[in-house]
Amino acid sequence: METWDCKDDRDSWFEKMKHTAEQVGFAKDMKTFKKSPDSYQGHVGDVAMVLRAALSHSAFTPDLYDVMQVMGEDRVRLRLNRFVGR
């Protein structure tokens, strides 16, 4: 949440997602994960899935970036705060 900015374009947002994934022990992409799966907890797609579930309560949504844009900053922050217990 500290790095998310609703004004980010799709590419900037995804770069931040990859950076966040690496910070918490996940590979930044599937290729990196497949090379050394025992070195990571998962990959950026797994991080995105947790985020998707936290925001939508579903594992199946349209593109996560688009969902977050439609939800808007206030709703995204509210749901993420609830998810992490703030």
Side-chain angles (χ1 to χ4, degrees), residues 4 40 42 47 60-61 73 75-76 84:
W4 182 67
Y40 302 99
V47 174
F60 305 101
T61 68
E73 182 174 4
R75 184 176 289 166
V76 168
V84 297

Side-chain angles (χ1 to χ4, degrees), residues 33-55:
F33 178 70
K34 284 185 176 183
K35 281 184 182 178
S36 184
D38 294 334
S39 299
Y40 302 99
Q41 296 183 56
H43 56 82
V44 69
D46 297 321
V47 174
M49 184 58 70
V50 171
L51 183 57
R52 176 176 282 110
L55 293 174

